[in-house]
Amino acid sequence: MREDIIQTEEKFLALYNELNTDDDVDVHCRLDVPTGTRIAQRVCRVQFYETAQAEWARSQITGDYAPPAELVALERGPEYKHKALAIINANPELRRLIKVRDALEKKYFATRKERLKGRLFAF
C-alpha cells in the first residue's frame, strides 16, 4: 500500500513539475538517511530550498555569506504556495491524483490500525 502512495505521489510530482514553468519551484523526492540512523526516509523538497542548502554549505567552506536554507524557505514559502495552488487548481488531473493519494493514505492507516489493535508496541 505504501508503494501505491509513493507511485501516486511520483505521478503527481512529474505532472506538476512538467506544468510548472518555474524550475525553482519544482519538487523533487529522494531517500535520505539522517545522521545517527540507518533508516532511509523519503524526503521531498522544493528546488529553491535544495539550492539554498547547497549555497549555505558552500559558504561554510569559502567563508562567504549565504542565508540558511530555512530562512530562504520562510521568505519564499508564500510564493511557492501561491504558484503551486494555481497550477493544481488549473489542472483536473493533479486534483484527481491528490484525491487518490488521500484515499490510499486513509486506507493504509486504517489497515495499519486494525493490524496493530491490542499490541503495546509496533515494530
Side-chain angles (χ1 to χ4, degrees):
M1 266 190 263
R2 284 188 283 178
E3 188 60 35
D4 292 338
I5 293 170
I6 291 170
Q7 287 177 0
T8 303
E9 287 175 353
E10 290 297 329
K11 288 178 189 175
F12 173 87
L13 290 173
L15 180 57
Y16 168 81
N17 289 340
E18 180 184 323
L19 295 171
N20 175 25
T21 58
D22 183 357
D23 291 341
D24 215 24
V25 292
D26 280 356
V27 178
H28 304 283
C29 299
R30 68 170 192 259
L31 287 179
D32 191 22
V33 181
T35 303
T37 182
R38 294 182 182 177
I39 300 171
Q41 298 174 350
R42 187 163 186 263
V43 178
C44 301
R45 293 193 179 109
V46 181
Q47 183 58 49
F48 69 76
Y49 183 82
E50 292 284 323
T51 302
Q53 277 189 318
E55 289 174 0
W56 182 84
R58 192 171 17 264
S59 76
Q60 298 304 298
I61 295 169
T62 63
D64 296 334
Y65 174 76
E70 290 75 16
L71 184 60
V72 173
L74 285 172
E75 181 182 320
R76 298 208 46 204
E79 169 198 353
Y80 164 70
K81 182 179 177 181
H82 176 74
K83 287 181 178 183
L85 286 175
I87 293 166
I88 292 166
N89 288 329
N91 189 282
E93 180 62 12
L94 286 176
R95 292 193 309 273
R96 185 190 73 77
L97 287 168
I98 289 172
K99 290 177 184 175
V100 168
R101 190 223 177 267
D102 187 48
L104 288 168
E105 186 178 64
K106 285 179 183 176
K107 182 179 177 184
Y108 169 76
F109 282 117
T111 303
R112 185 173 183 259
K113 183 178 180 181
E114 186 62 33
R115 287 184 181 173
L116 297 176
K117 196 174 202 174
R119 296 185 187 176
L120 291 176
F121 298 100
F123 295 99

